[in-house]
Structures are given as structure tokens and as C-alpha cells.
Amino acid sequence: MSIAVCPGSFDPITLGHLDIVRRARRMFDVVVVGVARNAAKNALLGPEERVGLARAALAADPATADVRVEVVPGLLVDFCREVGAVAVVKGLRGGADFDAELPMALMNRHLTGGSTGLETVFVPGDQRFAHVASSLVKDVARHGGPVDDLVPPGVADAVRAALGGGAGARSRG
Ligand code: PNS
């Protein structure tokens, strides 16, 4: 049985993330979405809220209904060892993603002693979502723009609430 982890900040989960998890699930018997902390980013949503939104979105699609969602409490490689993963799956929207992801993949390989037991698999995302990033979703929402068609149901409301709620999100500096 092959197990893969799809890690990320998921702050919030987007339609682009769902596309990658769906593709990962077609390649691996078991997929675990790992909601982790990116030290380079300040999260808008708390980890439990990010987990809840991801769980609801994945459960709503029969293709991903059996995907687990868990918080990654520390290093991703430790989490992967605990769940028995043989692969980390990350989506690529373009070259900038690859440039950001390659050092992380190599660091994770370094942390596993260079073993071949855990490989990072890069999956090109659907081009329809090439412009969809959690950071842009938050920025558009912060300025009162529409983001409902970029994220699963319920996520846009959660983002707006976290930003201060509805029209209030528009007036935040
Ligand atoms: O969605 P992101 O922000 O691109 O995902 C990056 C993430 C959260 C997967 C990465 O920062 C991570 O793995 N964090 C967990 C802590 C860890 O293992 N850090 C070393 C990564 S090389």
C-alpha cells in the first residue's frame, strides 16, 4: 500500500490544492493532507480551522473523500515517517513554484539522510488554477474582491471572517 503526504500551509485551501490532492489520490493508495507551518509565512487562519476547511472540501468530493487531513506538528519528514509515507506530493503552477520547492525537497532528502525512502513528487497543476494562490486569495479578499470561485464552498466566508468580516475586510489597512 503506497502512502503519500500532500503538505502545505493551506491558509486557506484553494481549488488548486484540491486539484493536486485529487491527482495524488489517483497515484497513491492512501493520501494524507498535512497542514503545516511555513516559517516564512504568517498564517491568517489557525491550524485547526485550516484542517476543518480542508476536511470539508475533500469530503465533498468522492474522489478525495477518504483523504485524511492532519496537523503537522513539527518537521514534515517526521510526520511522513509516522504515517509511513513514501512520497511527498507538491503541485507546481510554474517555474517560480519549482524554484521555491526544490530547496525544500532537497532539505527533506537531507533530513532523511539522503535515503530513497521518501521522495518528493512534483505534479503540474491544472492550468485553470495557475493564478490561484492562498496569498492572492487573502489579498483580494482583504480588498473586498470576490474570491468565492477560487476556493471550496465556505472557505471565502471563513477568510472574510478572519479578516474582520464582510465589508469590514475592505477597510482594513
Ligand atoms: O504551502 P506552503 O507554504 O508552500 O508549504 C510549505 C510547508 C508548510 C510544506 C513547509 O514549510 C514545511 O514542510 N513545514 C513544516 C516544517 C518543516 O519540515 N520545515 C522544513 C521544510 S524543508
Side-chain angles (χ1 to χ4, degrees):
M1 185 176 65
S2 60
I3 303 175
V5 168
C6 288
S9 308
F10 301 103
D11 184 45
I13 191 162
T14 68
L15 297 186
H17 290 130
L18 290 184
D19 170 54
I20 297 302
V21 177
R22 215 176 287 124
R23 292 175 191 280
R25 182 62 189 84
R26 285 179 68 90
M27 290 189 288
F28 295 92
D29 300 318
V30 174
V31 170
V32 182
V33 165
V35 175
R37 179 167 182 272
N38 184 335
K41 299 177 183 172
N42 280 323
L44 172 69
L45 306 171
E48 291 306 332
E49 185 164 21
R50 286 181 269 150
V51 165
L53 292 170
R55 275 192 187 138
L58 293 162
D61 180 351
T64 55
D66 64 355
V67 171
R68 278 160 35 211
V69 184
E70 296 175 16
V71 170
V72 177
L75 281 176
L76 177 62
V77 290
D78 292 337
F79 179 80
C80 288
R81 193 180 305 116
E82 275 158 33
V83 304
V86 295
V88 169
V89 177
K90 288 286 272 191
L92 297 180
R93 289 163 295 197
D97 277 352
F98 179 75
D99 288 345
E101 294 294 341
L102 183 60
M104 288 196 269
L106 293 174
M107 178 58 78
N108 287 332
R109 178 177 285 169
H110 172 82
L111 292 171
T112 53
S115 89
T116 53
L118 181 70
E119 296 293 350
T120 298
V121 176
F122 293 130
V123 176
D126 190 314
Q127 285 196 323
R128 285 178 300 152
F129 307 126
H131 61 299
V132 180
S134 299
S135 55
L136 288 179
V137 166
K138 287 179 283 189
D139 191 44
V140 171
R142 192 172 279 119
H143 292 89
V147 294
D148 299 71
D149 56 350
L150 304 174
V151 292
V155 171
D157 284 342
V159 168
R160 284 188 284 263
L163 287 169
R170 291 171 203 197
S171 58
R172 287 167 68 99

